[in-house]
Amino acid sequence: MPSLLHTAYSVSAIRTAEQPIVAAAERIKPDGLMQQAARAVADVALSLLSGVNTPRVLVLAGSGGNGGDGLYAGAFLAEAGIAVEAIATSASGTTLPRATEAFTKAGGVLVDAPTAPAQLVIDAIAGLGLSAGLAPELAETVSHMVSRGAKVLAVDVPSGISPDTGDPLGPHITADVTVTFGALRFAHTVSASCGDVVVADIGIAESLHTMNGPRVYAYRAVPADHSWPDTVTPLPAIPAINSMEPRPTDHKYSGGVVGLLAGSELYPGAGVLCVAGAVRATPAMVRYVGAAREFVLHAIPEVIASSLATAGKVQAWVAGPGGATESELLDLIRRPIPLLIDADGIRLLAKSTHLIDALRQREHPTVLTPHDGEFATLVAAIGIPEAATANRLAACHEAAQALGAIIVLKGRRTLIAPPHGPITSIDAGHSWSATPGSGDVLAGVMGAWIARYAAQDKPLAEAIAIAVHLCADAAWLSAQTNFGAAPTSASRIADAIPAATARLSNK
């Protein structure tokens, strides 16, 4: 698991853990904890403004504690010589008195509308307290600033985003960076509107760790190209892996043999990409069964091609990228080894109660790797209401329990949901994986790692997280050129898997 700071909790859990800390801090110094949080916001703001000549900052300050955080942060920035304006965003126009006094005393100016373009907007409107979207005129103010080049720094959670689900509540802020306090909120693990997320320690993480209730572990594959101040910490990468060099006694069968049912006459490339991912992921043998045999062997001669009936030793199967039949999938579901089902395999499941029933009866691990569209189809087939899918965390957890499978919901922030226990979220740190065929590569890489961990009798959840991280990092590496980043493709992502593996084993 990641550090306590990088575990996500519900709003109710956060508030319960905060109450005694806030009460103790208030007895020592009024607004003391608020000022501690504001200092972290100001430090991040200064780092975002580094290199900007004569910067200006606009604080959008609500009437509650979130607005207080923003005004105190604005006071710190004004004391540092930065021009800071603030708009009171509540209908009543009220803000916290002590924070407002500190802001104006430091040189900050309260305005009804910005008097000049700002390079940074601090969203301190509501944080955890908003139950609806932003007023349209407020959203328009932020949009106008962003169109003129301003960055947005959100305090706690971007306003208009549900902190418990990450779902937009209506018009909302999309932040470049979000600073949160003590630990993560669920929204940080699912919502792209949060941007880069950093956490300031305010002493509640240990209390949260002892509480019962749901939690999510959060990681990031490719770190932000930014130097953060010491008062905050960004999401960590998953733990480093050991060297992938085979031991003197190892051979092609000892590292975990994966079998791939992938590709078809219509989609032969899916088979090639899936096999390429598996071959480049580990030193072990890769077996291929499928209708794209000639394409696969021509592109990747290292693979061993056979049929389902004649395939030899296999320690994990992958089924579905680019093609599978219902009878083939049923055959693999009945085999007593780990099974990963992707793409066409998931679509077959969603159409067949017979396959779903067989899947539920499996006693060995099953991994399903849908993208959003496939996930919506799958959960509809097992009776989860469409409205429930807006809460990605809850829907993944419910689907995992209903099917007895590990759900890997792919995206910029990929969710790994086991039937029991915490969900893991991995933010890729970029969106270069959004290209055709990248899911086929991921299926091959993940299948190879699942086979490797099955052979070593190690937790498959770790293998899944490694595969997600490696493919995210490989996608980023594959997009780099001598002139900067540029569009990539799935075959280039597969080619970059060894480099990503070396980076993870040597970090």
Side-chain angles (χ1 to χ4, degrees):
M1 60 175 285
S3 73
L4 300 183
L5 292 179
H6 301 111
T7 301
Y9 301 89
S10 67
V11 170
S12 62
I14 294 286
R15 285 179 169 155
T16 298
E18 281 180 341
Q19 285 173 359
I21 303 295
V22 172
E26 286 296 306
R27 288 194 292 270
I28 298 171
K29 178 184 178 182
D31 290 352
L33 195 62
M34 187 178 290
Q35 290 181 48
Q36 180 185 338
R39 172 58 71 184
V41 174
D43 288 346
V44 173
L46 288 170
S47 76
L48 294 173
L49 292 168
S50 177
V52 178
N53 294 323
T54 61
R56 298 182 65 87
V57 173
L58 175 66
V59 179
L60 302 176
S63 59
N66 201 249
D69 292 337
L71 288 170
Y72 276 122
F76 291 134
L77 294 173
E79 289 171 352
I82 292 174
V84 187
E85 295 182 331
I87 296 175
T89 63
S90 70
S92 63
T94 58
T95 52
L96 290 185
R98 282 193 296 263
T100 305
E101 180 182 0
F103 177 73
T104 56
K105 185 176 180 179
V109 181
L110 289 169
V111 296
D112 294 325
T115 61
Q119 286 75 44
L120 181 68
V121 176
I122 296 179
D123 165 24
I125 300 169
L128 305 186
L130 203 64
S131 58
L134 295 183
E137 60 273 15
L138 194 55
E140 178 59 31
T141 296
V142 178
S143 177
H144 179 68
M145 288 286 190
V146 170
S147 71
R148 303 186 69 172
K151 292 183 177 178
V152 179
L153 172 60
V155 179
D156 235 348
V157 174
S159 297
I161 296 295
S162 167
D164 274 341
T165 70
D167 195 38
L169 299 169
H172 63 278
I173 300 290
T174 295
D176 295 283
V177 179
T178 296
V179 181
T180 196
F181 313 109
L184 298 171
R185 287 63 169 144
F186 288 149
H188 301 139
T189 68
V190 290
S191 175
S193 294
C194 295
D196 294 326
V197 179
V198 293
V199 186
D201 188 3
I202 59 169
I204 66 170
E206 193 66 47
S207 296
L208 284 164
H209 183 61
T210 62
M211 290 184 181
N212 294 323
R215 61 190 67 187
V216 179
Y217 299 147
Y219 299 96
R220 178 169 169 143
V222 178
D225 185 17
H226 189 81
S227 180
W228 302 109
D230 293 340
T231 45
V232 298
T233 58
L235 301 186
I238 66 170
I241 59 175
N242 295 327
S243 170
M244 293 294 290
E245 180 180 0
R247 298 165 299 184
T249 56
D250 278 339
H251 48 78
K252 60 187 178 184
Y253 297 109
S254 60
V257 179
V258 63
L260 307 175
L261 172 60
S264 61
E265 292 183 4
L266 186 59
Y267 300 112
V272 173
L273 292 169
C274 185
V275 170
V279 166
R280 287 159 175 73
T282 74
M285 177 183 285
V286 176
R287 296 189 186 276
Y288 175 77
V289 299
R293 175 189 176 104
E294 298 306 318
F295 288 94
V296 168
L297 289 175
H298 177 75
I300 309 165
E302 299 94 330
V303 72
I304 305 300
S306 63
S307 68
L308 273 179
T310 61
K313 180 178 181 179
V314 172
Q315 284 149 304
W317 277 100
V318 174
T325 68
E326 184 171 343
S327 61
E328 289 171 333
L329 185 55
L330 183 60
D331 180 341
L332 293 179
I333 287 173
R334 289 172 172 169
R335 298 193 183 195
I337 58 174
L339 170 63
L340 185 156
I341 303 175
D342 182 51
D344 287 292
I346 294 172
R347 286 188 280 273
L348 286 172
L349 273 178
K351 294 177 182 178
S352 171
T353 56
H354 181 53
L355 287 176
I356 289 175
D357 288 343
L359 182 67
R360 285 171 167 155
Q361 293 169 17
R362 271 178 61 84
E363 296 181 358
H364 290 77
T366 307
V367 181
L368 305 179
T369 55
H371 55 55
D372 280 349
E374 292 162 348
F375 183 67
T377 302
L378 180 64
V379 296
I382 59 176
I384 297 176
E386 181 179 355
T389 61
N391 185 338
R392 291 167 65 85
L393 293 168
C396 279
H397 179 68
E398 188 173 350
Q401 285 192 317
L403 294 169
I406 300 172
I407 302 293
V408 181
L409 181 55
K410 298 180 289 192
R412 167 64 183 261
R413 285 168 167 82
T414 293
L415 301 180
I416 303 169
H420 307 284
I423 293 174
T424 295
S425 169
I426 301 180
D427 179 2
H430 62 85
S431 297
W432 290 114
S433 299
T435 187
S438 63
D440 302 321
V441 176
L442 174 63
V445 173
M446 192 176 293
W449 273 94
I450 289 172
R452 182 179 181 84
Y453 267 49
Q456 299 172 2
D457 197 25
K458 296 172 67 175
L460 297 191
E462 292 181 16
I464 294 167
I466 289 168
V468 172
H469 176 105
L470 290 178
C471 287
D473 196 26
W476 181 85
L477 289 169
S478 71
Q480 307 310 304
T481 76
N482 292 335
F483 306 98
T488 187
S489 66
S491 57
R492 288 174 57 83
I493 294 173
D495 289 342
I497 291 296
T501 304
R503 277 160 58 96
L504 187 56
S505 62
N506 293 317
K507 70 180 180 122

